[in-house]
Amino acid sequence: MEKTVFEKNDIRNYVKKVIAEKIEKLKNFIEFTLEASRDIKKTPKYDSMREEMQEEIYQMQRQLGALNDLQRNMSKVLNKTTGRVQLGSLVITNKARFYISVSLGEFFFEGDRFYAISPESPMAKKMMGMESGDSFTLNNIHQKIVEVL
């Protein structure tokens, strides 16, 4: 991986924006589904259709709760630079770029691939406390930490 300068604050703001956009999109979809469920006309399949829509709304509300938790947890992520891997670190290895923050998964920022991972994830737990130059192996994949921001 070629050496690139990353602004951790920009990445942090981007992750927060992605979560906020997902929350907004889901709220809009819940509202749309609620409106649609109110507009269902009495038909022989009325009860089963309403039941299915209620189940869908319930699932979306659970997803919304999880996204709200991500948003809350993101507010706890510090933005200071440290030499060792900890919550809020941007870890560049010879194989990937990890942002130790929340479990958002893969995302692309300015054309580069990153992984926002929870500090509870096996990958983050393996890297915690390490610094540039340290190596680790997880799932038979050996990685070397190039930089910790």
Side-chain angles (χ1 to χ4, degrees):
M1 249 176 229
E2 76 269 5
K3 174 102 167 137
T4 312
V5 177
F6 297 108
E7 280 296 323
K8 188 164 67 166
N9 193 48
D10 292 343
I11 293 169
R12 181 176 188 265
N13 289 337
Y14 180 77
V15 169
K16 288 171 87 172
K17 185 180 116 193
V18 167
I19 294 169
E21 287 171 354
K22 286 182 178 224
I23 287 172
E24 192 58 35
K25 187 185 284 185
L26 198 52
K27 282 180 178 178
N28 289 338
F29 198 63
I30 289 171
E31 186 58 36
F32 173 79
T33 307
L34 281 169
E35 287 295 319
S37 74
R38 289 184 198 114
D39 291 342
I40 295 175
K41 304 292 183 242
K42 291 267 186 192
T43 66
K45 293 190 175 194
Y46 172 78
D47 288 335
S48 65
M49 286 172 59
R50 278 189 66 99
E51 214 171 280
E52 284 179 34
M53 290 179 102
Q54 282 305 117
E55 181 60 30
E56 186 68 28
I57 290 167
Y58 172 72
Q59 294 300 328
M60 287 187 288
Q61 287 171 334
R62 286 186 46 204
Q63 290 173 3
L64 185 60
L67 285 170
N68 283 327
D69 287 345
L70 282 184
Q71 194 171 49
R72 236 183 334 277
N73 290 339
M74 245 342 260
S75 67
K76 299 174 189 170
V77 176
L78 303 176
N79 199 32
K80 63 181 182 180
T81 301
T82 61
R84 294 191 177 276
V85 177
Q86 65 181 29
L87 179 65
S89 293
L90 178 61
V91 183
I92 313 298
T93 72
N94 60 327
K95 305 239 190 255
R97 300 169 191 91
F98 301 97
Y99 182 46
I100 315 294
S101 54
V102 294
S103 183
L104 189 63
E106 179 183 63
F107 68 94
F108 290 87
F109 179 74
E110 294 182 358
D112 288 307
R113 179 185 311 207
F114 291 85
Y115 297 92
I117 60 174
S118 161
E120 309 304 316
S121 70
M123 179 66 73
K125 284 182 177 181
K126 195 78 168 171
M127 293 189 291
M128 284 297 179
M130 291 185 164
E131 53 191 13
S132 295
D134 290 346
S135 297
F136 64 95
T137 302
L138 183 67
N139 297 331
N140 292 324
I141 299 172
H142 185 74
Q143 296 189 57
K144 181 176 181 173
I145 296 175
V146 177
E147 191 173 7
V148 178
L149 301 169

